[in-house]
Structures are given as C-alpha cells and as structure tokens.
Amino acid sequence: MHQRRGGSGNNYSNGTNSNGHFNANMNRRGPYDPERGGLSASEMNANIMEQQNIDKIDQLSDQVALLKGLTIDIGNEVREQNSLLDQ
C-alpha cells in the first residue's frame, strides 16, 4: 500500500503531488534549470512554436501578396476586355 508523503497540500516544492508522482504540467526542475544554464523544456517548446507561427505568418503573407498580384492582373484584364467590347 502507498504511504502518502508529508505535507498538507497537493503540490510539493519538488513538483510532485501527494502520491509522489510528478504533476503533468510541471517539469522536474521548474521553469529554469541552473545546471543546464538555459531555458526549460516548456520554454524551448514555446519558443519553437512561436518561431513556427512566425514562419507560417511569413508564408501566408507571401501567398496574400501573390493573390493580390493576381487580382490586380485580373482587374486590368477585365478593364481591357470591357474597353474592347465598348468599341
């Protein structure tokens, strides 16, 4: 049978809950790991996702610019065709 670890709350300072298992939303060492001297895994994941979002925004911007060029060309063609029909 499991014995509960001491403490009154569910979250201990080491990131475990009352049954000794790690919480799903915390890493083992907290947000900053001085031993690694860098970002935590969740911060690195957030940075990676942010960069992916920036890349996707750039791709969308390029596609919108392409579509804008196409619509301008279509508008010019329509005006030219209308002028030929009016003659």
Side-chain angles (χ1 to χ4, degrees):
M1 182 174 227
H2 277 94
Q3 280 188 324
R4 292 185 178 223
R5 296 183 183 197
S8 59
N10 286 340
N11 293 326
Y12 296 96
S13 62
N14 65 358
T16 60
N17 61 20
S18 61
N19 64 7
H21 295 282
F22 280 92
N23 295 330
N25 61 352
M26 288 189 70
N27 62 31
R28 294 176 189 261
R29 297 183 184 175
Y32 176 74
D33 182 1
E35 291 178 12
R36 290 190 338 218
L39 300 175
S40 69
S42 63
E43 290 171 326
M44 288 190 305
N45 285 338
N47 288 343
I48 290 169
M49 288 175 27
E50 181 67 22
Q51 186 58 49
Q52 289 173 343
N53 284 341
I54 290 169
D55 293 343
K56 293 294 183 184
I57 289 170
D58 289 342
Q59 290 174 359
L60 283 172
S61 178
D62 292 343
Q63 290 175 350
V64 167
L66 177 66
L67 288 172
K68 179 181 177 182
L70 287 173
T71 55
I72 290 171
D73 290 343
I74 290 170
N76 291 338
E77 181 68 24
V78 167
R79 278 189 286 284
E80 184 180 330
Q81 293 291 326
N82 280 338
S83 68
L84 290 174
L85 289 173
D86 289 340
Q87 293 181 1

